[in-house]
Amino acid sequence: MRDELRERGLRLTPQRELVLTAVRALGHATPEDIAEYIHRTHPSINLSTVYRNLETLENVGLVLHTHLGHGGATYHAAEEVNHLHLVCGKCGSVGEAPIETAATFVNALADDYGFKTDVTHFAVYGKCTKCSEES
Amino acid sequence: MRDELRERGLRLTPQRELVLTAVRALGHATPEDIAEYIHRTHPSINLSTVYRNLETLENVGLVLHTHLGHGGATYHAAEEVNHLHLVCGKCGSVGEAPIETAATFVNALADDYGFKTDVTHFAVYGKCTKCSEES
DNA sequence: CGCTAAACGCAAATCACTTGCAATTCGCGC
DNA sequence: GCGCGAATTGCAAGTGATTTGCGTTTAGCG
């Protein structure tokens, strides 16, 4: 990590390391979640520092974000993002499905429209099993 | 339209009609776009009125919204939403593809995970033809 | 060590909506 | 037609999430 940063003239600060650790520990996490998590052990870290570091780490490629709901983005460690997100519009739950499920769909878009899909960046929206049964 | 509204105890105000007209005229439009469009002919309409009417019209089923980018939602007339949205993360362009393209994908999610996908609500994210060629 | 650009903390600013409220107006009933 | 109550509007203030300006601190090359 230190090297990946230094290559781009960036520094490895304690705060930056904490943000990455938090992202890795939390899975799907909003900037707020991440800040709160870090606060438990390091109360002095500033929310804007968390935002700035998420951006930096994303540029370097160590984390990335996905849009799961109407609200804000959620961040993931780069090596963890190997699934689709299935967001339920009713109960808000976030399910997962292997990327391969979308393989033929992605290929069709590539072949017919020249569009290279990044299926992990946006959520797949709909209704989960539970909510479908209920209503 | 008047009737669809009245059935629910709602009124047909000039502003409400303007909002629907604007949505139909604009295609993919943010609330801001819609307000601006209406402002050209009716400068006195308030932004919050636009937001409130979009919500109302959405409840009635005359319009609906989709999440295309990092920013806000974009609204469509209900009868126009018969396509997927292909959002380019680089140039921001919004392409379209017929819903059927996703049919097998949607079925796979339904069969394997019991998840009922609404493919129009969120965008498909990736890189468009042009941007793929360039970089 | 010393220095300088990168990164921080903090407070204020911005953005995209949302809400409270008093004034207006639609549209059913007379 | 006219009145009246509830729906709707305009305006201004309020949120929640994120960004930005800036003076201070600090990582890390030399």
Side-chain angles (χ1 to χ4, degrees):
Chain A
M1 170 172 178
R2 186 179 225 98
D3 296 329
E4 295 205 57
L5 290 168
R6 274 198 285 208
E7 277 169 27
R8 317 206 181 195
L10 302 172
R11 296 180 187 168
L12 208 210
T13 63
Q15 291 91 331
R16 191 159 287 171
E17 202 163 2
L18 284 167
V19 170
L20 182 58
T21 307
V23 170
R24 288 188 169 147
L26 291 172
H28 306 133
T30 63
E32 216 92 18
D33 293 336
I34 293 163
E36 197 205 316
Y37 179 89
I38 298 176
H39 267 198
R40 294 199 201 119
T41 51
H42 298 75
S44 68
I45 197 171
N46 194 278
L47 184 54
S48 61
T49 301
V50 172
Y51 276 102
R52 280 192 275 235
N53 277 324
L54 285 171
E55 196 187 326
T56 308
L57 292 171
E58 184 154 31
N59 288 335
V60 176
L62 289 169
V63 307
L64 36 84
H65 74 273
T66 305
H67 296 275
L68 294 188
H70 291 205
T74 64
Y75 285 80
H76 307 64
E79 61 286 8
E80 285 174 0
V81 182
N82 46 13
H83 52 262
L84 305 174
H85 297 104
L86 307 178
V87 176
C88 176
K90 199 159 190 189
C91 70
S93 71
V94 180
E96 299 183 357
I99 294 187
E100 302 84 57
T101 315
T104 55
F105 174 49
V106 170
N107 287 337
L109 289 177
D111 294 348
D112 300 351
Y113 303 93
F115 189 84
K116 295 189 181 163
T117 307
D118 171 7
V119 269
T120 64
H121 190 81
F122 267 88
V124 178
Y125 184 88
K127 267 208 274 190
C128 70
T129 315
K130 257 182 220 151
C131 290
S132 298
E133 282 167 3
E134 282 169 14
S135 61
Chain B
M1 169 176 177
R2 184 179 226 99
D3 297 328
E4 295 206 55
L5 291 169
R6 273 198 286 204
E7 279 170 26
R8 316 205 182 195
L10 302 171
R11 296 181 189 169
L12 208 209
T13 63
Q15 293 89 330
R16 193 160 285 171
E17 203 164 3
L18 284 167
V19 170
L20 182 58
T21 307
V23 170
R24 289 189 169 145
L26 290 171
H28 306 130
T30 64
E32 214 93 21
D33 293 336
I34 293 163
E36 197 205 317
Y37 178 87
I38 299 176
H39 267 201
R40 293 198 201 120
T41 53
H42 299 75
S44 68
I45 198 172
N46 194 278
L47 184 54
S48 61
T49 301
V50 172
Y51 275 103
R52 281 191 277 232
N53 277 324
L54 285 171
E55 197 187 327
T56 307
L57 292 171
E58 185 155 29
N59 287 335
V60 176
L62 289 168
V63 308
L64 36 84
H65 74 273
T66 305
H67 295 276
L68 295 187
H70 293 206
T74 65
Y75 285 81
H76 306 65
E79 64 280 13
E80 286 175 357
V81 181
N82 46 13
H83 53 261
L84 305 173
H85 297 102
L86 308 177
V87 175
C88 176
K90 199 159 192 189
C91 70
S93 69
V94 180
E96 300 182 356
I99 294 188
E100 301 83 59
T101 315
T104 53
F105 174 48
V106 170
N107 288 336
L109 289 177
D111 294 348
D112 298 352
Y113 302 94
F115 190 83
K116 295 190 180 163
T117 308
D118 172 6
V119 267
T120 66
H121 190 82
F122 267 87
V124 179
Y125 185 88
K127 267 208 273 189
C128 71
T129 315
K130 255 180 219 153
C131 290
S132 298
E133 281 166 2
E134 283 169 11
S135 61

